[in-house]
Amino acid sequence: MALPTKGRVILDTTVGEIEIELWSKETPKTCRNFIALAMEGYYDGVIFHRVVPGFLVQTGDKTGTGGGGESFYGEPFEDEIHPRLRFSHRGLVAMANNGTKNSNDSQFFITLDRADELHGKHTLFGRCIGDTVYNVMKIGEMELDADGRPVYPPKIKSVRIVENPFDDIVPRITAAEKRAQQRAKEQAQREREDEQRKKGAKKNVKLLSFGADEDAGDEEETTTFKKKPIYRPELVDNPQKVVAVPDFVSQPSSSSRTKSPAVASEAPKESKTEKSAKKKEDKKNDDITKIREQHAREQSASESSRKAEIEKMEAEIRKLQKRRDGNTSDDEEAARKKAKKSYLGEELAKYAKSRGLHKKGKKRDEGDVLAALTSFRGKLQNTMLLDEAEEGAEGGATANVEEGTGAGGGGGGEEEGMEIDDDTGFMGHALHFSKDNTEETDKAERDYEVIDPRARGAKAKEEERERKKAALKAKGGAVSGGRYRRQ
């Protein structure tokens, strides 16, 4: 069963990423040292200087020799041996030491297989998770020299902290500041090389130098000599006699004449270089101060957000305690009383009013409906009684009507009364069904006949059996005991 952890970092190496899960609860001091060095950028550019195939890979030494390293605390710190943490499989991360107890600094190693012999001697503080352990195995398969060092050692490019369990760590210098300083150093080195290259281009390489003059040439400044003019006097219009001047007489004067402007010209050059160097130093200082200010702003923002969260949680806790004790504030009671209705509730109330659901005469309307129904029921009963009475007197009424029409046919034809629709005979109609409806039942059975294939097959077999019996009887055979025999 895996231990509950808090802390995760990712090593970005030249062979791929290595994701490490830290056991900060069991080894807090070791994990704090590791994360602080990662925040300071200590592991950036560090190589894997030692590889033992099938056993471990080691890194964390800034010098790359295996004899260096420093801790965040300024001195080696003690071991943190936990009984539940054992070297039982590959991918486990532990601190390296110099062979004695309590000598941990910055170097650490990752196991490539089970290593029970290391238990109790080294602090185990994390493990590789996911498929990134195969990148560690790739480092363990690299080509080695006679001393067990990789011929082409892989390098840690950067360390990315995914989850920091220690929010109170204040690094001495951040990784961003360290990278800025490194870039400034490289830039200064390039500029120095360019200046040296430019100075070298001004030297007169045509002059021969001897061993005795090398030291003097280094001390003295470079001088340029004016060449003697070469011409033919016979070709000039006004020929003048050329007097040969010895070298020991002409050479000092020429050197003295040429030396003074050279010295004068070098003074402004030196002032320019000093100005450019000052500007670069000011720029570097500005970059570092900006990075530090940004880091301070981020820390203050995180602290303010943490304080706001804590205040919010304390307010919620106070509310819960008041509710539990039954002491609710007056403001909360007033807010509950004056709770606003939702827009949906108001619209539903409007439609309910338009439908008449909230009228006071609702019961009266229902009583009217019931009264109408009972009156209609009574009317139906009355019509049924009237129909029975009319059936008895139907014969006499028809005879009287015929006589009246025969006697006073002329008078009846003159007066035509208003036609009134008082036909209520439909109320006395009754629906009767015949008791014997076998015809309809037979028709339904014919229309909705259910055919069973097994019954059809059994019926076919029975017919075949009857046909065979009939054929045997025609031939003169008899049946006895389920068998046919000839008579």
Side-chain angles (χ1 to χ4, degrees):
M1 179 179 177
L3 292 170
T5 61
K6 186 181 180 185
R8 191 156 57 94
V9 298
I10 296 176
L11 305 181
D12 187 10
T13 68
T14 54
V15 296
E17 292 184 347
I18 300 173
E19 189 172 2
I20 298 175
E21 188 180 62
L22 301 176
W23 290 316
S24 58
K25 184 179 178 182
E26 288 76 17
T27 57
K29 196 165 187 178
T30 306
C31 293
R32 182 183 287 271
N33 175 71
F34 182 81
I35 288 177
L37 293 176
M39 291 173 68
E40 292 179 353
Y42 183 86
Y43 293 117
D44 296 353
V46 176
I47 64 169
F48 286 83
H49 61 272
R50 184 189 178 202
V51 175
V52 181
F55 186 50
L56 57 84
V57 295
Q58 187 171 336
T59 183
D61 183 10
K62 198 75 174 176
T63 62
T65 60
E70 60 178 303
S71 70
F72 177 69
Y73 308 109
E75 59 183 1
F77 59 94
E78 63 271 17
D79 296 331
E80 291 177 307
I81 308 298
H82 197 275
R84 295 187 62 188
L85 301 178
R86 305 184 69 86
F87 293 87
S88 57
H89 54 82
R90 65 185 180 185
L92 298 174
V93 186
M95 294 299 295
N97 53 33
N98 57 6
T100 60
K101 289 185 177 181
N102 304 327
S103 59
N104 302 301
D105 42 31
S106 63
Q107 295 191 41
F108 64 94
F109 62 88
I110 305 173
T111 60
L112 302 176
D113 202 350
R114 186 185 181 97
D116 293 330
E117 61 272 18
L118 299 178
H119 181 66
K121 300 177 182 178
H122 296 271
T123 301
L124 182 58
F125 65 96
R127 68 185 180 97
C128 297
I129 59 175
D131 296 334
T132 59
V133 70
Y134 296 110
N135 294 330
V136 181
M137 303 303 291
K138 195 187 300 182
I139 297 172
E141 295 172 357
M142 286 189 169
E143 183 181 359
L144 307 177
D145 58 9
D147 298 330
R149 295 170 59 88
V151 178
Y152 306 102
K155 184 170 62 174
I156 299 174
K157 295 191 287 186
S158 63
V159 181
R160 188 166 69 255
I161 299 172
V162 180
E163 185 179 1
N164 186 3
F166 308 104
D167 298 330
D168 57 340
I169 294 177
V170 179
R172 295 166 293 187
I173 181 172
T174 62
E177 292 177 358
K178 198 167 186 178
R179 285 193 289 270
Q181 288 182 356
Q182 186 66 23
R183 285 195 297 268
K185 287 180 182 178
E186 292 173 358
Q187 183 67 20
Q189 181 67 21
R190 284 195 296 269
E191 289 173 357
R192 283 196 297 272
E193 291 174 359
D194 292 338
E195 289 176 1
Q196 289 177 1
R197 197 179 298 112
K198 289 177 182 177
K199 286 181 180 179
K202 290 181 180 179
K203 290 182 179 179
N204 192 354
V205 296
K206 292 182 180 180
L207 296 175
L208 296 175
S209 61
F210 300 94
D213 298 336
E214 285 180 0
D215 298 332
D218 293 334
E219 295 176 358
E220 295 179 359
E221 297 174 356
T222 59
T223 59
T224 57
F225 296 94
K226 190 176 180 181
K227 295 182 180 180
K228 295 179 180 180
I230 300 174
Y231 65 93
R232 295 179 66 181
E234 64 270 13
L235 298 177
V236 181
D237 294 335
N238 297 322
Q240 295 178 358
K241 292 182 180 180
V242 179
V243 180
V245 181
D247 292 338
F248 65 87
V249 176
S250 61
Q251 187 172 358
S253 62
S254 63
S255 63
S256 62
R257 285 196 302 270
T258 57
K259 187 174 182 180
S260 61
V263 173
S265 63
E266 285 179 1
K269 288 181 182 178
E270 291 176 357
S271 63
K272 289 180 181 178
T273 54
E274 289 177 357
K275 288 180 181 178
S276 62
K278 287 180 181 179
K279 288 181 180 178
K280 288 165 186 173
E281 289 178 359
D282 295 339
K283 190 176 181 181
K284 286 189 288 183
N285 294 330
D286 293 340
D287 293 339
I288 293 170
T289 53
K290 286 179 182 178
I291 291 169
R292 287 178 177 171
E293 288 176 358
Q294 185 178 1
H295 183 66
R297 284 197 298 271
E298 290 177 356
Q299 282 186 343
S300 62
S302 62
E303 289 176 359
S304 60
S305 62
R306 196 178 301 113
K307 288 180 181 177
E309 291 177 359
I310 291 168
E311 290 176 357
K312 188 176 180 181
M313 291 174 66
E314 288 177 352
E316 291 179 355
I317 290 168
R318 286 196 295 270
K319 287 181 181 179
L320 292 172
Q321 288 178 352
K322 288 180 180 179
R323 289 178 184 173
R324 185 184 61 186
D325 298 337
N327 298 326
T328 56
S329 62
D330 298 336
D331 297 336
E332 292 178 355
E333 291 179 359
R336 290 177 184 174
K337 289 179 181 179
K338 295 180 181 180
K340 293 182 179 180
K341 293 183 179 179
S342 63
Y343 179 75
L344 180 61
E346 292 178 357
E347 293 297 323
L348 289 174
K350 288 180 183 179
Y351 284 111
K353 288 178 182 178
S354 64
R355 289 198 299 268
L357 294 177
H358 296 285
K359 289 182 179 179
K360 294 181 180 179
K362 183 177 178 183
K363 294 183 179 179
R364 184 184 61 190
D365 294 340
E366 291 178 356
D368 295 341
V369 173
L370 292 173
L373 289 173
T374 52
S375 63
F376 184 70
R377 189 183 295 112
K379 192 181 289 185
L380 288 175
Q381 292 175 357
N382 292 333
T383 52
M384 291 174 67
L385 294 173
L386 290 171
D387 289 339
E388 291 177 357
E390 285 177 358
E391 286 177 359
E394 188 176 4
T398 52
N400 294 331
V401 170
E402 289 176 356
E403 289 177 358
T405 52
E414 293 176 358
E415 293 183 4
E416 293 181 359
M418 186 182 295
E419 186 176 355
I420 298 171
D421 187 9
D422 57 351
D423 185 12
T424 57
F426 73 92
M427 296 183 182
H429 293 174
L431 184 62
H432 300 284
F433 295 97
S434 58
K435 294 181 180 180
D436 189 9
N437 55 353
T438 55
E439 184 177 353
E440 296 294 332
T441 305
D442 296 339
K443 185 179 179 182
E445 289 179 356
R446 285 196 306 272
D447 293 342
Y448 301 101
E449 183 179 2
V450 179
I451 299 171
D452 189 0
R454 293 176 297 177
R456 185 183 293 176
K459 187 176 180 182
K461 288 180 182 179
E462 187 66 25
E463 290 177 355
E464 182 68 20
R465 196 177 295 111
E466 293 295 334
R467 188 177 61 76
K468 287 181 180 180
K469 286 181 182 179
L472 288 172
K473 285 181 181 179
K475 289 181 181 179
V479 180
S480 65
R483 294 183 179 181
Y484 299 104
R485 64 179 180 178
R486 299 184 64 84
Q487 292 179 352

